[in-house]
Amino acid sequence: PPLCIQRYEFVIDFVKKNKPQKVVDLGCNDCTLLRKLKFHKEIELLAGLDIDSAVIRDNMYELAPIPTDYLQPGDHPLTIELYQGSVTERDPRTKGFDLVTSIELIEHLQFEDVDRFTEVVFGYMAPVAAIISTPNADFNPLLPGLTGFRHYDHKFEWTKVEFQTWALKVCREFGYVVAFTGVGQIPAQEESIGFCSQIGVFQIDRSGGDAPRLQNNVAEEHLPYRLLYNVVYPS
Ligand code: SAM
């Protein structure tokens, strides 16, 4: 299957194993991943955030309940919330989730915004787990005809070492442990190159007690994200 599908499948496998109740997808774009996740009954709150309101508005109604959802109400509650906003801003409505996903998002951020993203996600949202994916620059020489980055809007593409250096710093600063993996076939002779898309799976590390979380110094009523869509499924 195409790489984007493999990334979604990776998230879905994680959801099946870990059964998070509250999931937020950062950079949810056309809501493809959210549409797949809404069938997972353990999830009670499914949120999406993107800076691009148009792409959310064009796709959000596909998350609406269909007539059978009313005729045969589910036996579990499900709320879906879609927000327009930037991952560089803190909004209390994304705190306390079990899982944050950020699939092919960080490479679209300027470096100073990667730092903000890191603080917002791991210091402020402080989810139990986070799945972060980004292209692996080490793999680029294997992509035929590629010169430069994989997409014109990429601000950088990290090598395996660069991604792992960032991720390990996240762990030290915010009290997480990380496992490195990815999707995209590894040609047999090129195993040291790694995956086409590299993925870090972060889990909060409670072994040494809770790490200090960043305090929100603005009033909790400050809600920088704009709620574009909100639906409660019949149950
Ligand atoms: N996660 C989706 C996927 O895997 O198919 C979409 C990935 S797309 C390459 C990157 C998305 O991140 C776009 O929808 C873009 O609008 C969004 N984005 C870029 N900068 C953002 C920011 N600062 N805050 C929130 N979303 C952002």
Side-chain angles (χ1 to χ4, degrees):
L3 210 57
C4 60
I5 304 290
Q6 292 185 47
R7 288 191 289 262
Y8 301 147
E9 293 299 329
F10 182 90
V11 172
I12 288 162
D13 285 345
F14 182 92
V15 165
K16 283 184 186 157
K17 280 194 204 108
N18 292 273
K19 309 197 187 309
Q21 291 180 352
K22 295 165 93 185
V23 180
V24 57
D25 185 30
L26 307 179
C28 63
N29 195 265
D30 61 6
C31 307
T32 306
L33 180 58
L34 296 174
R35 278 202 300 279
K36 291 174 184 285
L37 288 175
K38 82 168 206 186
F39 295 105
H40 292 273
K41 309 226 178 301
E42 295 76 19
I43 299 178
E44 294 183 0
L45 176 59
L46 190 54
L49 171 73
D50 206 286
I51 201 163
D52 181 349
S53 58
V55 73
I56 293 184
R57 286 189 200 283
D58 287 349
N59 294 283
M60 61 193 190
Y61 295 109
E62 291 190 41
L63 288 167
I66 55 173
T68 47
D69 288 318
Y70 291 99
L71 294 169
Q72 299 170 336
D75 49 11
H76 75 292
L78 172 63
T79 299
I80 298 180
E81 293 172 355
L82 300 178
Y83 297 99
Q84 186 271 329
S86 173
V87 291
T88 56
E89 293 204 80
R90 302 170 178 193
D91 187 302
R93 291 168 294 184
T94 53
K95 268 172 108 164
F97 277 63
D98 301 303
L99 175 63
V100 165
T101 55
S102 165
I103 307 302
E104 307 296 280
L105 164 61
I106 56 174
E107 66 277 5
H108 294 267
L109 304 175
Q110 304 287 352
F111 277 121
E112 61 268 25
D113 283 342
V114 175
D115 290 342
R116 293 200 186 96
F117 165 91
T118 307
E119 282 205 340
V120 168
V121 172
F122 295 98
Y124 180 76
M125 294 181 184
V128 177
I131 298 176
I132 314 283
S133 90
T134 194
N136 170 14
D138 296 327
F139 201 93
N140 286 356
L142 301 181
L143 298 173
L146 181 73
T147 51
F149 291 148
R150 296 184 195 177
H151 189 272
Y152 69 91
D153 190 48
H154 288 179
K155 309 299 187 296
F156 61 88
E157 287 176 353
W158 274 337
T159 63
K160 244 174 24 182
V161 168
E162 286 169 328
F163 179 58
Q164 295 185 2
T165 303
W166 168 80
L168 293 171
K169 187 161 174 271
V170 165
C171 292
R172 283 194 304 276
E173 283 184 11
F174 300 104
Y176 281 80
V177 291
V178 64
F180 297 109
T181 177
V183 295
Q185 240 168 6
I186 316 166
Q189 70 278 27
E190 307 274 13
E191 267 178 35
S192 63
I193 286 176
F195 295 92
C196 188
S197 264
Q198 46 189 346
I199 299 177
V201 180
F202 296 81
Q203 305 261 9
I204 209 160
D205 179 7
R206 294 214 168 94
S207 60
D210 276 346
R213 299 284 150 219
L214 292 184
Q215 292 304 308
N216 187 11
N217 49 15
V218 269
E220 284 285 273
E221 304 80 65
H222 181 61
L223 306 173
Y225 302 165
R226 194 151 51 102
L227 183 66
L228 296 183
Y229 185 71
N230 178 23
V231 64
V232 179
Y233 272 65
S235 68

